[in-house]
Amino acid sequence: MRSAPSSILLRRMPWENILLAALLIFSIGSAAQSGAFRDLDNGLRNFSFALRSSTASGQIHVVEMDAASVAQIQRWPWPRSNYAGVVTALDAAGARSIIFDVDFSSASDPVEDAALARSLNKVAAQIILPTFAQSESFGSDRQIDALPIAALRQHASLASVSVIPDSDGVVRNMPLGTITAGVPRPSLSAQATGVAGKAGEHFPVDFAINPASIPRYSFIDIADGRFDTSAVRGKDILIGATAIEMGDRYATPRHGVLPGVIVQALAAETLLGGIPIFGGWEFPLLVGAMAAALIFAQKTYRRVVMVSGMGAVLLFVADIASYSLVNVEFRIVAGLLLILGSGVARAGLLLYRDLYRAQRIDQESGLPNRRALREADGSREHAQTIVAMVANFDAIKSVIGAEAIGSLMQSLAARMGDNDLIYRVDDRCLAWISEEGHETRLEKLTELRRELRRPLEVAGKRVDPAIVFGIAAAGATAEASLAASTALANDKVWHMHEAAEQDLLEQQVSLMGELANAIENHQLEVQYQPKLDLKTNRIASVEALVRWHHPTRGYLSPDSFIPLAEKSDHIADMTLFVLQRTLRDLSQWQAAGMEVKAAVNISARLLTSQVFFEAVRAALAESETSASHLIFEVTESATMADPSAALRALEGYRQMGIMISLDDYGTGQSTLTYLKTLPIGELKIDRSFVENAHEDSSDALLVRSTVHLAHALGLQVVAEGIETKECLDFLREVGCDLAQGYHVSRPLPAPDLLALCQRYTGVASLPERSAA
């Protein structure tokens, strides 16, 4: 066995400090210039928000278009007389200004528009209405400017409500002004607080302000006069949506997702203290450079740590003070990194001589460790890393004791010979780099295993180690260790990592070839999960689910082949198989006197496919079943890639007579406008919101409001994931239309479904279900 690497001694040369400090300043400055520290600066700013948490001034109040208001008004868009009533009530109470974060860019009923215009004209309070720009269509760079209708603009000031999140989707800054319809306009927050600024300028929002401290009122309470009029006298009132189903929500630092109107209120609260200034990263970097000079002058490790720590803390405290006292927000990560990096670099120069060996030598065995192996030269063409794993390591350790493990690994390394440098890369693993040919290497491993299995005497006890080997490319130590574990699990002498990856690839390719054969030969099965009509207590519809019982692999989970089918373009054939089988079974059920609808899931890849569209048309033409008995279930995400094409496809299917169901509702970004745009007839609430709704008040509120909203839009509602009677009773109480889940029934073959439907008689309780 070769000796371990020797230490390298460093001579102390003054220019090393200067060169290293200059390199740090240049590197960190360049990284800061490129924006590399943006996420770190944002995270540090969030921490500082928490440290200087504060309450709102009380000047800005919010009138919420909340769930209670949605439930009482029960229409969307709201009649504008509702807004007129609220404006009148707030003005009568003495509000200083009334600011809308509500889109009035489209005309509604002329009578309603006139009512709101009259109200705006009569009030003494300043009225501010929103203007904003939006994309012409999904993926388009063209912007369309949205202004309130002319009748409303005559009596109000206009302000921009544009919110521009950062690239990670989080809102940190707000504009002082923007340009809409060719006119520079102040932002809503700037207009509300009387702050002047140029269009295109931004300011950082002070998220240290607790949004819960902003006074709030329910829209419906204001409209009905249920509020303390003295509380709003002389105040600036923001009116906007906070109900979840309205969708106007943004991710923010520290506070998570907030309604847009609350973000606007926090921006206004920020400006009440003056316009915050972006101080940048240059000045903190200069401060860090002065601290770095002091750090590199220290002679001991202890003093380096002390000066570095004090410098970092002082810079952080100074940053908080600068914002609190003079309203300047710096980006201090570059300065902090320079201080801390200088401390690490100086400590490294002082300690390198002592640490070099310790960092590369395993303390128990004295063998070079994993780090030394990473630095070893294994760059020749056929070089590979070999890991020898002691399979019975735990048993040997219990016999000889933990203190003797180092001696065990030394003895094993000695038996491996002197040709290669042996490294200890894990508690139970030794490794080396082999540059021999493949066949020679495998022959030597077999011989070496026999040699290593000879009993060893360690700590006065004889032990018989069992060794397996893993092989991977040079430098891939983790992969070689994984290959050794695979060899142990499969009772092999050795295992190559590349072989494991190839096996997985071959298995997937083989499975897809078998799936194509199964589709062609009609070997797949279709089962149906019933949906219970909660009003009639009868099975009203079913969802078609594909199943595959492989002749040699046994039952395969849909998750194991449906994703692969999508990737390998088998999804169209599989979906058409399900559709044709469903049409056949519908026809047979109708002949037996059972009237139900059947839902088929449509993949995102198929939604806009014209070929698949025509195949559906042909399947319906050949079937005796009417398209009105079919439901196509699509997810919201399936419509997002190309909304225009998706809308055309869905309209085409609806014209055929097929109902469209929006699946997994609640897990995406659905809004009221979105629900109105799509030609859907059914909404399926995702099981994650349903299964605990009878116990969890938040889930209950979401389900209840979604049911009411869907009914207001003329949609029927299906709740998924019903596992208990209590959950089913809750859904009946809130007026849900259909329920689907194991409490109703598991997925069943077509003949069994007919029998189940005959047992549902319309009585308001579930019939006894069989163990199946």
Side-chain angles (χ1 to χ4, degrees):
M1 182 179 63
R2 297 178 188 174
S3 61
S6 60
S7 298
I8 299 176
L9 303 180
L10 294 179
R11 292 180 300 167
R12 295 178 60 188
M13 290 180 284
W15 58 266
E16 287 182 340
N17 295 331
I18 299 173
L19 179 62
L20 193 52
L23 180 61
L24 281 171
I25 294 172
F26 176 78
S27 300
I28 292 175
S30 299
Q33 179 70 35
S34 70
F37 304 139
R38 186 177 294 112
D39 290 342
L40 291 174
D41 273 311
N42 290 336
L44 198 61
R45 179 59 57 207
N46 294 348
F47 181 60
S48 72
F49 286 148
L51 290 181
R52 55 182 185 84
S53 181
S54 61
T55 58
S57 67
Q59 178 60 36
I60 307 297
H61 292 217
V62 172
V63 173
E64 301 183 76
M65 298 165 64
D66 54 8
S69 304
V70 171
Q72 184 158 335
I73 296 176
Q74 292 189 343
R75 288 181 59 188
W76 187 260
W78 287 358
R80 289 181 175 167
S81 56
N82 287 280
Y83 301 112
V86 167
V87 168
T88 301
L90 291 172
D91 183 66
R96 186 173 77 169
S97 63
I98 303 172
I99 309 156
F100 279 94
D101 186 7
V102 180
D103 183 9
F104 292 128
S105 61
S106 299
S108 66
D109 181 89
V111 175
E112 295 289 333
D113 288 344
L116 179 55
R118 285 194 303 273
S119 175
L120 298 183
N121 185 37
K122 291 179 181 179
V123 298
Q126 181 189 18
I127 302 296
I128 301 174
L129 297 182
T131 177
F132 58 92
Q134 60 184 335
S135 296
E136 183 180 51
S137 62
F138 181 83
S140 173
D141 292 332
R142 290 191 59 189
Q143 298 290 316
I144 296 177
D145 296 321
L147 278 70
I149 60 175
L152 304 182
R153 293 201 301 270
Q154 297 174 2
H155 314 297
S157 301
L158 300 186
S160 169
V161 293
S162 295
V163 177
I164 306 175
D166 288 350
S167 58
D168 59 358
V170 178
V171 176
R172 297 184 178 89
N173 308 303
M174 291 287 281
L176 282 170
T178 63
I179 295 177
T180 52
V183 177
R185 304 183 194 279
S187 67
L188 186 149
S189 53
Q191 180 81 335
T193 55
V195 171
K198 294 181 179 180
E201 290 184 343
H202 294 75
F203 65 93
V205 179
D206 186 5
F207 286 101
I209 301 170
N210 184 359
S213 66
I214 298 174
R216 304 189 192 186
Y217 312 88
S218 174
F219 186 96
I220 200 64
D221 287 343
I222 300 292
D224 294 344
R226 298 191 301 269
F227 70 103
D228 181 4
T229 57
S230 64
V232 302
R233 186 173 298 114
K235 306 301 181 182
D236 299 299
I237 313 300
L238 268 168
I239 302 175
T242 61
I244 293 175
E245 54 267 39
M246 291 189 175
D248 183 25
R249 309 181 78 81
Y250 298 94
T252 66
R254 187 188 176 204
H255 304 301
V257 177
L258 293 176
V261 68
I262 301 300
V263 175
Q264 298 284 1
L266 289 174
E269 286 284 346
T270 301
L271 292 179
L272 287 174
I275 303 176
I277 300 172
F278 290 104
W281 54 268
E282 294 86 353
F283 183 73
L285 185 65
L286 177 61
V287 173
M290 292 186 290
L294 185 60
I295 291 168
F296 276 101
Q298 305 308 309
K299 305 298 184 184
T300 66
Y301 171 71
R302 182 177 179 181
R303 290 187 62 83
V304 167
V305 172
M306 181 180 67
V307 174
S308 300
M310 288 180 60
V313 170
L314 288 174
L315 180 58
F316 181 68
V317 172
D319 176 56
I320 294 178
S322 71
Y323 192 94
S324 301
L325 299 177
V326 295
N327 232 10
V328 178
E329 178 183 274
F330 287 104
R331 297 292 184 173
I332 67 170
V333 166
L336 286 176
L337 289 179
L338 180 55
I339 293 173
L340 297 176
S342 297
V344 171
R346 180 57 178 162
L349 288 174
L350 295 174
L351 299 174
Y352 184 73
R353 179 183 54 197
D354 297 329
L355 294 179
Y356 186 91
R357 180 178 175 82
Q359 290 172 345
R360 291 159 179 80
I361 299 298
D362 176 58
Q363 297 302 306
E364 273 191 328
S365 64
L367 297 169
N369 60 14
R370 181 185 288 262
R371 180 171 182 175
L373 176 59
R374 282 203 306 268
E375 297 173 356
D377 181 14
S379 59
R380 294 179 62 179
E381 182 179 358
H382 299 294
Q384 289 191 303
T385 297
I386 301 178
V387 167
M389 176 182 287
V390 182
N392 54 346
F393 179 82
D394 292 331
I396 293 176
K397 184 176 181 179
S398 67
V399 171
I400 65 176
E403 65 280 356
I405 288 298
S407 298
L408 170 68
M409 304 309 279
Q410 283 180 343
S411 300
L412 288 173
R415 282 199 176 178
M416 292 181 181
D418 297 329
N419 293 329
D420 297 299
L421 181 59
I422 307 300
Y423 303 81
R424 187 182 184 192
V425 296
D426 199 354
D427 283 349
R428 64 188 68 210
C429 293
L430 299 175
W432 66 95
I433 295 176
S434 172
E435 298 178 350
E436 299 165 326
H438 180 68
E439 296 299 329
T440 303
R441 183 184 300 123
L442 298 184
E443 290 176 5
K444 285 193 173 183
L445 287 182
T446 304
E447 295 174 3
L448 184 57
R449 187 173 191 251
R450 285 196 296 267
E451 177 66 21
L452 293 175
R453 288 205 59 146
R454 288 194 298 109
L456 290 170
E457 186 169 329
V458 181
K461 298 178 182 178
R462 291 173 63 83
V463 295
D464 185 11
I467 307 296
V468 294
F469 301 100
I471 308 171
T477 308
E479 289 80 356
S481 297
L482 179 61
S485 298
T486 303
L488 177 61
N490 295 327
D491 196 24
K492 294 181 179 180
V493 175
W494 57 269
H495 188 81
M496 294 188 67
H497 177 70
E498 293 84 357
E501 295 179 343
Q502 186 64 27
D503 287 344
L504 178 60
L505 178 61
E506 291 176 358
Q507 181 183 12
Q508 292 181 346
V509 172
S510 175
L511 190 64
M512 283 302 92
E514 292 164 357
L515 176 60
N517 184 69
I519 295 172
E520 183 179 351
N521 296 314
H522 300 280
Q523 294 174 357
L524 298 180
E525 302 173 7
V526 177
Q527 295 187 2
Y528 302 91
Q529 188 167 31
K531 302 176 188 177
L532 180 66
D533 188 318
L534 295 179
K535 295 180 180 177
T536 66
N537 205 57
R538 298 180 183 275
I539 301 301
S541 62
V542 296
E543 180 179 359
L545 303 169
V546 65
R547 295 293 184 262
W548 186 8
H549 190 80
H550 194 279
T552 58
R553 303 175 191 265
Y555 175 79
L556 296 178
S557 167
D559 291 339
S560 68
F561 63 90
I562 291 180
L564 292 177
E566 293 209 5
K567 292 180 182 178
S568 59
D569 293 326
H570 289 307
I571 191 67
D573 291 339
M574 189 171 71
T575 304
L576 284 173
F577 168 83
V578 173
L579 174 63
Q580 292 165 350
R581 183 62 56 88
T582 301
L583 290 172
R584 187 200 68 180
D585 290 338
L586 279 170
S587 177
Q588 293 177 353
W589 292 333
Q590 292 167 7
M594 185 178 85
E595 286 292 328
V596 296
K597 293 185 177 182
V600 176
N601 290 281
I602 305 300
S603 163
R605 293 194 62 177
L606 299 180
L607 184 56
T608 58
S609 169
Q610 186 62 32
V611 174
F612 180 79
F613 184 91
E614 295 302 328
V616 171
R617 190 193 302 276
L620 285 171
E622 296 174 1
S623 172
E624 299 177 358
T625 302
S626 168
S628 61
H629 287 83
L630 270 183
I631 302 171
F632 277 0
E633 291 191 8
V634 298
T635 61
E636 180 190 348
S637 61
T639 67
M640 295 301 289
D642 190 346
S644 299
L647 180 61
R648 289 194 299 271
L650 292 176
E651 287 285 2
Y653 287 129
R654 188 174 67 170
Q655 290 173 10
M656 288 185 195
I658 301 171
M659 177 188 284
I660 305 301
S661 175
L662 186 63
D663 199 8
D664 297 336
Y665 180 78
T667 60
Q669 302 293 325
S670 297
T671 64
L672 291 173
T673 303
Y674 196 80
L675 294 180
K676 288 179 60 180
T677 301
L678 294 178
I680 60 176
E682 180 181 271
L683 206 63
K684 293 191 75 174
I685 308 178
D686 186 74
R687 64 176 299 131
S688 61
F689 300 103
V690 173
E691 55 191 1
N692 295 314
H694 60 291
E695 299 174 335
D696 186 289
S697 59
S698 297
D699 288 348
L701 177 61
L702 178 63
V703 171
R704 191 186 305 273
S705 62
T706 301
V707 169
H708 293 168
L709 169 65
H711 287 169
L713 294 174
L715 308 178
Q716 70 177 13
V717 184
V718 181
E720 298 178 291
I722 310 334
E723 304 284 355
T724 64
K725 179 180 183 298
E726 291 76 11
C727 183
L728 193 68
D729 292 339
F730 166 79
L731 293 172
R732 278 200 175 99
E733 176 191 338
V734 302
C736 185
D737 301 299
L738 301 168
Q740 178 181 357
Y742 276 22
H743 184 69
V744 176
S745 174
R746 295 175 177 270
L748 299 171
D752 295 347
L753 180 69
L754 179 60
L756 178 71
C757 290
Q758 293 171 348
R759 288 162 47 210
Y760 278 82
T761 59
V763 181
S765 61
L766 291 179
E768 293 295 323
R769 290 175 292 133
S770 65

